[in-house]
Amino acid sequence: MFNQFDVLETIEMVEKEHLDIRTVTMGLSLLSCIRGNAEQTAQAVYDLVMKKAENLVKTAEGLSREYGIPIVNKRVSVTPVSLITASFPQKSALIGTALDHAARELGIDFLGGYSALVHKGTAEYEREFIKSIPEVLARTERLCSSVNVGSSRSGINMDAVRQMGEIVKEAAALTKDRDGLGCAKLVIFCNAVEDNPFMAGAFHGIGEADTVINVGVSGPGVVQHALKFVPEADLTDAAEVIKRTAFKITRAGQLIAKEAASRLGARFGIVDLSLAPTPARGDSVAHILEELGLEVVGCHGTTAALAMLNDAVKKGGVMASSRVGGLSGAFIPVSEDIGMIESATAGKITLDKLEAMTCVCSVGLDMIAIPGDTPASTISAIIADEAAIGMINNKTTAVRVIPAPGKTVGDEVEFGGLLGRAPVMPVHTGDASKFIGRGGLIPAPIHSFKN
């Protein structure tokens, strides 16, 4: 049983160490909203979100006051919209607009699910839907999008990978007045999960209940603070400290998740254990790695330190919650982590090192600004590399890169808020266009054949 004492012991963490509930995310099924045409479907989608999520913000704010734990974001995720618009893909934007309108009316921070799942092949309606993504993201404020292009069971859909490189470029161009902000709301996945509460990649899986509450907990500052008390500990003991700390953080998330679900008449889904940083000092995953003994994140040893951190967080958190899911581990978004920002600005961490780190972290290449003139084929190649890591290692990986229009290495993009800022990082200039142009499907690895 969980009670208020589980939360009271975290008060110092809240006040001094940046502990927060990063998000309470309500997952909603839109399958019941499908109508005979786009206009009727858009209205049904709007009405459903307005009804189901009407009290989401109020409930989250009430729980925050009651338990003294900040709840930073209130979010909604929905059924992948490409499934809702299959009979009218050219009008998919109407659904996106309706969703954004509902989010704005309700005060929801982000709404995810303008998404498509094309990991084994792309139907014609999905291809048309994907074409709508750049314009929809440019015209909306709170809507987020994702596309799953591969899985360990099916392989990598290289036709979709090729298209997504072009889509990322177009999304940047259409939001060039905002440093390519559209790309910050677009994630390309391999092995996407159905219960992820974090944006921009959240969507509501078709195997989920109608209405679900998923919670994402975050406390990089808490972990870093705990490690300060054991500066001479060996890595075995340091891992134990991280595990105990993750346990305490997750207990707070479990309580908030169950209470929110009960009050909103929804099913409790999962607690996502991920350490999600912010640009604020004292809330950095990079600084945890440096606390473990690295001079600067990005130097040799970084991947090993991150692997230990990720595993310890999962081991500690899984014992504190009845349902763990989502992505769970440690995020390494460059623009959203002050330690990553500083290391990238100083040239101490590179895209290659970040790619290596994604083999052991929660997701992948996240919130990385690259030169605006980067070819679409190069972006596709980056996506393919990351998808291959996910496919072979049977883990979720993703790419969220921003080709900053008109900017080059040494410049900086500025998004503000949780999205932060980032220096433009160099990419390899070798041409991968012939490889990407081959298309087809990279077959799944032999160990995927399980039945």
Side-chain angles (χ1 to χ4, degrees):
M1 294 294 292
F2 291 84
N3 54 52
Q4 290 190 19
F5 292 104
D6 294 319
V7 175
L8 290 176
E9 69 174 336
T10 68
I11 293 301
E12 184 176 357
M13 297 180 186
V14 172
E15 293 180 346
K16 298 180 180 180
E17 301 159 23
H18 297 276
L19 172 66
D20 59 55
I21 304 297
R22 184 54 48 85
T23 176
V24 173
T25 301
M26 175 178 279
L28 296 174
S29 173
L30 299 183
L31 295 176
S32 64
C33 298
I34 299 173
R35 301 290 188 269
N37 59 54
E39 291 74 16
Q40 291 174 348
T41 301
Q43 186 62 52
V45 164
Y46 173 82
D47 292 342
L48 184 141
V49 175
M50 292 296 293
K51 178 182 178 182
K52 294 283 189 177
E54 178 183 12
N55 296 314
L56 175 61
V57 173
K58 181 174 67 175
T59 299
E61 291 175 347
L63 287 169
S64 182
R65 289 191 298 269
E66 187 174 336
Y67 292 108
I69 300 178
I71 298 176
V72 178
N73 271 242
K74 300 83 180 175
R75 300 168 174 169
V76 167
S77 63
V78 299
T79 308
V81 171
S82 67
L83 302 178
I84 310 303
T85 65
S87 61
F88 45 83
Q90 293 85 358
K91 293 188 176 181
S92 296
L94 291 177
I95 311 302
T97 301
L99 288 168
D100 192 64
H101 185 198
R104 186 171 61 252
E105 290 286 314
L106 295 173
I108 293 164
D109 296 289
F110 290 105
L111 190 150
Y114 198 79
S115 306
L117 310 178
V118 294
H119 39 281
K120 196 171 184 180
T122 311
E124 186 57 36
Y125 75 85
E126 290 167 327
R127 193 171 291 107
E128 289 299 317
F129 172 84
I130 290 172
K131 288 179 183 177
S132 75
I133 290 174
E135 183 178 353
V136 169
L137 292 180
R139 288 169 41 193
T140 56
E141 179 184 357
R142 306 176 191 219
L143 189 68
C144 294
S145 177
S146 61
V147 177
N148 192 58
V149 299
S151 76
S152 294
R153 187 63 187 265
S154 64
I156 303 172
N157 180 353
M158 291 300 291
D159 294 317
V161 168
R162 178 175 55 195
Q163 185 180 17
M164 290 313 301
E166 297 165 355
I167 293 297
V168 169
K169 286 284 287 186
E170 186 179 352
L174 292 178
T175 53
K176 61 183 179 181
D177 59 326
R178 291 165 283 169
D179 280 344
L181 177 63
C183 298
K185 300 187 291 176
L186 172 60
V187 181
I188 300 97
F189 277 116
C190 177
N191 289 323
V193 297
E194 296 189 329
D195 54 6
N196 167 25
F198 286 102
M199 299 297 167
F203 63 86
H204 186 67
I206 59 173
E208 299 279 342
D210 283 348
T211 309
V212 175
I213 293 294
N214 298 320
V215 163
V217 188
S218 184
V222 181
V223 175
Q224 183 189 359
H225 185 77
L227 288 171
K228 287 182 181 294
F229 289 98
V230 290
E232 304 302 323
D234 66 21
L235 292 177
T236 303
D237 290 339
E240 289 299 310
V241 169
I242 296 168
K243 282 165 59 178
R244 290 196 298 270
T245 306
F247 181 88
K248 294 178 181 180
I249 293 170
T250 306
R251 283 177 75 84
Q254 169 85 359
L255 178 59
I256 295 296
K258 294 191 74 172
E259 283 294 315
S262 176
R263 297 180 190 188
L264 290 165
R267 181 174 180 174
F268 164 45
I270 57 93
V271 176
D272 189 314
L273 310 177
S274 296
L275 294 178
T278 71
R281 194 162 297 280
D283 200 24
S284 164
V285 169
H287 287 165
I288 297 175
L289 304 182
E290 292 170 2
E291 192 66 43
L292 287 168
L294 302 176
E295 180 182 6
V296 61
V297 68
C299 70
H300 296 301
T302 298
T303 305
L306 181 60
M308 189 198 79
L309 171 65
N310 211 53
D311 182 65
V313 166
K314 291 182 179 182
K315 286 176 177 173
V318 76
M319 295 297 293
S321 175
S322 58
R323 294 183 190 149
V324 170
L327 300 168
S328 288
F331 289 162
I332 53 169
V334 172
S335 79
E336 299 173 9
D337 184 310
I338 185 61
M340 292 288 183
I341 294 169
E342 292 174 344
S343 180
T345 300
K348 300 296 185 180
I349 194 165
T350 65
L351 200 59
D352 288 342
K353 187 60 177 178
L354 286 165
E355 182 182 292
M357 292 165 68
T358 65
C359 297
V360 299
C361 77
S362 280
V363 193
L365 297 171
D366 198 15
M367 289 301 291
I368 298 171
I370 59 177
D373 62 358
T374 303
S377 59
T378 298
I379 296 171
S380 293
I382 291 170
I383 295 169
D385 283 344
E386 197 60 30
I389 290 172
M391 176 185 71
I392 295 295
N393 292 287
N394 199 30
K395 71 183 293 291
T396 302
T397 53
V399 171
R400 186 165 49 149
V401 295
I402 301 101
K407 296 195 173 182
T408 189
V409 175
D411 294 333
E412 188 174 88
V413 295
E414 178 74 51
F415 299 121
L418 288 177
L419 296 178
R421 60 184 174 86
V424 176
M425 300 178 69
V427 300
H428 291 290
T429 56
D431 184 11
S433 59
K434 184 175 180 180
F435 172 70
I436 296 302
R438 285 176 177 267
L441 188 77
I442 293 182
I446 186 63
H447 63 252
S448 70
F449 188 64
K450 299 174 183 178
N451 202 355

